[in-house]
């Protein structure tokens, strides 16, 4: 079989994976559902629909996991990027509780899929939300009390002092909220595992099959790629920031974010942090890091212009050295970026238009567990059990400003948040 090579991404994940390749679409297929996008959202949707005996086709423009799903920090966390407060204010206590429970189930769903289908993705448990400033510490104490007392979430422990420093070799943090039920993993291998299971369950998978048009045709949808067509009763848009090209709307904003991986640290690994721990800090512009195969993987920084910054490698290295100055002489071997689909209030945006176009977007940097769950909820919804999916449709979303004001306004917002992080 002749195939192109995967477009170059200098990512430690791409360098440590073994791919199976799926053929491009070359003919016409009649299907019940066409899923567009081969990230976690698309692969999980295809899997859960195939398990319910839908005839499902998944079309991926490049290669499975080529988007955010194969490039992420790998942190498998409950909750939402917007926090419970936003959901409570908008939807009231009962629905906010339902959404929290769904997010906890999302982590369990991902870990169950990994163990049931033996997806080799280096799953490890343990996440620390780290406080840099006194106000972060206060916020974490409040969060711990609220989740424990109101949400019955009992796996959180506050860690301070020498215990904290035995977990992270850094003086930057004054405390951390440790969650023994949150996890981390190799996100590309997880995504490739999901698609393997989806394919086994009967989903038809096509890579290098970019959708170039979608038309209504006699109560069905006609989806065109360069060399083939799919006719389907329903479509599911899982193209992350590229959803906006297929579904005219401006409720998500593309934001670039960055990661680096050091050389193998070997005996120096304990100068950073324990292999089992993933960490994210409490700043609005979050730094997140973990060890993988004795390398430190460090992520952070965002660019709101819609384009990745060319000098991200050095920029992130400086951020890493703020946390671990002792690693000043360590080489950075990998540097890459990915795109986030941020919604205005940072809450997920799932919904449907006229019962035949579904969309999953707005993960806002918190999509590893949630995108897995979104696929399951979507399959429930198509099978007339729409109750849980419809809770998400009740979240109100606003559009981002368009035209010439778009980028300057976002830049202004970023300056405000940077200043806030400095306080
Ligand atoms: C650097 C980085 C770090 C992150 N860290 C974390 C983390 O630690 N924890 C966490 O929970 N979340 C994290 N996230 C967010 C998380 O990765 C995403 O929310 C999640 O992977 C989104 O999955 P998705 O399937 O919606 O999108 P994607 O994985 O981006 O998949 C969309 C796919 O659609 C394809 N596509 C686009 N247009 C078309 C078209 N026209 N036709 C066919 N296919 C098309 C793309 O090629 C792509 O493969 C991070 C994201 C990034 C970028």
């Amino acid at each position: 079989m002749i195939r192109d090579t995967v477009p170059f991404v200098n990512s430690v994940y791409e360098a440590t994976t073994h791919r199976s390749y799926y053929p491009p679409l070359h003919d016409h297929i009649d299907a019940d559902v066409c899923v567009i996008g081969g990230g976690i959202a698309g692969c999980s949707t295809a899997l859960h629909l195939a398990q319910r005996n839908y005839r499902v086709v998944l079309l991926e423009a490049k290669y499975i996991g080529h988007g955010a799903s194969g490039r992420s920090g790998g942190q498998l966390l409950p909750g939402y990027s917007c926090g419970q407060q936003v959901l409570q204010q908008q939807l009231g206590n009962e629905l906010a509780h339902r959404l929290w429970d769904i997010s906890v189930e999302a982590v369990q769903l991902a870990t169950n899929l990994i163990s049931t289908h033996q997806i080799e993705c280096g799953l490890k448990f343990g996440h620390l939300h780290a406080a840099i400033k006194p106000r972060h510490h206060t916020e974490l104490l409040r969060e711990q009390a609220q989740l424990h007392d109101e949400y019955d979430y009992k796996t959180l422990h506050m860690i301070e002092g020498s215990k904290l420093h035995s977990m992270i070799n850094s003086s930057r943090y004054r405390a951390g909220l440790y969650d023994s039920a949150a996890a981390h993993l190799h996100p590309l291998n997880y995504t490739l595992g999901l698609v393997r299971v989806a394919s086994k369950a009967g989903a038809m998978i096509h890579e290098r099959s970019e959708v170039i048009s979608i038309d209504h045709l006699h109560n069905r949808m006609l989806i065109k790629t360069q060399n083939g067509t799919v006719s389907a009763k329903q479509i599911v848009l899982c193209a992350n920031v590229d959803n906006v090209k297929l579904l005219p709307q401006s409720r998500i904003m593309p934001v670039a974010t960055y990661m680096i991986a050091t050389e193998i640290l070997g005996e120096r690994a304990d100068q950073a942090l324990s292999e089992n721990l993933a960490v994210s800090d409490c700043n609005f512009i979050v730094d997140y890091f973990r060890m993988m195969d004795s390398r430190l993987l460090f992520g952070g920084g965002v660019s709101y212009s819609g384009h990745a910054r060319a000098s991200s490698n050095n920029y992130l290295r400086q951020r890493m050295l703020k946390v671990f100055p002792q690693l000043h002489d360590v080489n950075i071997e990998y540097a890459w970026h990915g795109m986030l689909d941020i919604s205005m209030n940072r809450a997920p945006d799932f919904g449907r238009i006229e019962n035949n176009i579904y969309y999953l977007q707005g993960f806002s940097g918190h999509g590893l567990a949630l995108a897995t769950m979104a696929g399951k909820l979507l399959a429930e919804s198509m099978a007339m059990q729409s109750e849980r999916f419809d809770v998400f449709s009740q979240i109100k979303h606003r559009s981002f400003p368009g035209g010439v004001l778009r980028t300057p306004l976002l830049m202004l917002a970023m300056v405000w948040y940077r200043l806030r992080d400095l306080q």
Side-chain angles (χ1 to χ4, degrees):
M1 181 179 65
I2 301 169
R3 60 173 162 76
D4 307 329
T5 49
V6 176
F8 180 71
V9 186
N10 185 24
S11 127
V12 71
Y13 302 130
E14 209 52 77
T16 53
T17 201
H18 297 287
R19 285 177 170 275
S20 299
Y21 291 91
Y22 298 88
L25 181 71
H26 273 306
D27 38 27
H28 176 82
I29 301 180
D30 282 316
D32 297 322
V33 186
C34 180
V35 177
I36 300 169
I40 294 172
C43 295
S44 175
T45 301
L47 163 62
H48 287 96
L49 286 171
Q51 284 178 335
R52 287 176 179 267
N53 296 321
Y54 283 82
R55 191 171 155 77
V56 49
V57 181
L58 184 155
L59 301 176
E60 161 55 44
K62 296 191 172 76
Y63 289 86
I64 299 296
H66 188 73
S69 298
R71 302 170 184 232
S72 83
Q75 303 198 359
L76 188 71
L77 311 174
Y80 299 89
S81 185
C82 58
Q84 282 306 114
Q85 211 68 26
V86 168
L87 299 173
Q88 275 185 3
Q89 278 161 6
Q90 258 210 31
L91 305 174
N93 267 345
E94 195 193 323
L95 290 186
H97 273 73
R98 291 199 68 188
L99 287 172
W100 172 261
D101 290 344
I102 287 173
S103 83
V104 173
E105 188 184 326
V107 175
Q108 289 159 357
L109 172 68
T111 57
N112 286 344
L113 286 167
I114 290 164
S115 63
T116 308
H117 301 287
Q118 295 169 4
I119 298 175
E120 286 179 20
C121 58
L123 176 71
K124 293 193 179 81
F125 283 88
H127 175 263
L128 192 92
H129 200 179
I132 303 171
K133 301 172 183 130
R135 83 173 152 82
H136 293 158
H137 193 178
T138 313
E139 283 162 14
L140 287 180
L141 285 167
R142 202 180 304 132
E143 183 187 333
Q144 181 186 21
Q146 188 193 27
L147 290 177
H148 184 277
D149 299 345
E150 295 174 32
Y151 286 83
D152 202 29
Y153 191 66
K154 302 264 161 63
T155 53
L156 296 174
H157 302 278
M158 188 60 76
I159 295 183
E160 296 167 50
S162 59
K163 175 94 194 283
L164 179 68
H165 295 121
S166 71
M167 293 165 83
I168 316 181
N169 200 335
S170 172
S171 56
R172 186 160 166 80
Y173 306 109
R174 54 177 56 235
L177 191 55
Y178 179 75
D179 187 350
S180 55
H184 56 109
L185 48 74
H186 187 304
L188 179 57
N189 282 350
Y190 173 63
T191 314
L192 294 172
L194 283 183
V195 86
R196 171 176 56 79
V197 183
S199 166
K200 257 189 169 170
M204 293 167 269
I205 313 294
H206 294 282
E207 294 180 316
R208 287 164 292 148
S209 302
E210 180 179 5
V211 171
I212 49 180
S213 69
I214 302 170
D215 293 302
H216 287 266
L217 198 72
H218 313 303
N219 290 333
R220 290 179 71 86
M221 318 287 294
L222 187 69
I223 302 101
K224 282 193 189 145
T225 67
Q226 190 77 40
N227 297 308
T229 48
V230 176
S231 158
K233 287 183 209 140
Q234 286 161 312
I235 60 170
V236 188
L237 299 176
C238 301
N240 189 348
V241 293
D242 290 326
N243 272 356
V244 291
K245 295 183 192 156
L246 302 165
L247 179 76
Q249 42 101 352
S250 54
R251 291 187 353 189
I252 54 167
M253 163 64 64
V255 171
T257 177
Y258 309 91
M259 286 199 72
I260 51 176
T262 64
E263 63 184 297
I264 291 175
L265 296 179
E267 285 175 3
R268 291 186 69 185
D270 60 5
Q271 290 185 10
L273 76 162
S274 118
E275 266 283 333
N276 287 329
L277 193 66
V279 179
S280 46
D281 73 22
C282 293
N283 274 335
F284 184 82
I285 301 164
V286 179
D287 284 337
Y288 48 93
F289 46 91
R290 66 192 181 97
M291 299 295 290
M292 191 184 88
D293 303 337
S294 193
R295 297 176 192 275
L296 175 65
L297 274 54
F298 195 97
V302 285
S303 159
Y304 274 66
S305 65
H307 304 288
R309 215 182 270 132
S311 57
S312 60
N313 181 340
N314 194 39
Y315 163 77
L316 256 195
R317 186 168 178 278
Q318 295 311 320
R319 289 184 84 111
M320 179 188 90
L321 293 181
K322 269 192 174 173
V323 182
F324 301 113
Q326 63 274 30
L327 299 184
H328 63 92
D329 55 345
V330 155
N331 291 320
I332 303 300
E333 290 195 345
Y334 299 93
W336 66 100
H337 75 275
M339 299 306 288
L340 303 176
D341 49 346
I342 302 276
S343 65
M344 180 80 96
N345 58 10
R346 284 170 171 66
D349 183 13
F350 306 162
R352 63 174 167 267
I353 303 163
E354 294 168 10
N355 270 338
N356 54 5
I357 303 176
Y358 284 74
Y359 56 90
L360 301 175
Q361 62 185 19
F363 292 103
S364 303
H366 204 103
L368 211 169
L370 189 61
T372 313
M373 190 66 189
K376 182 177 179 188
L377 297 178
L378 188 131
E380 283 176 14
S381 173
M382 280 195 184
M384 311 305 274
Q385 297 153 5
S386 209
E387 216 193 332
R388 301 203 301 165
F389 187 80
D390 288 346
V391 179
F392 286 89
S393 318
Q394 294 188 46
I395 301 173
K396 289 185 200 70
H397 288 280
R398 285 168 54 205
S399 295
F400 283 96
V404 288
L405 285 179
R406 187 175 176 94
T407 304
L409 281 177
L410 284 158
M411 298 296 210
L412 209 61
M414 277 310 288
V415 172
W416 188 84
Y417 282 119
R418 276 205 189 106
L419 288 174
R420 192 158 183 270
D421 282 347
L422 289 175
Q423 284 165 11

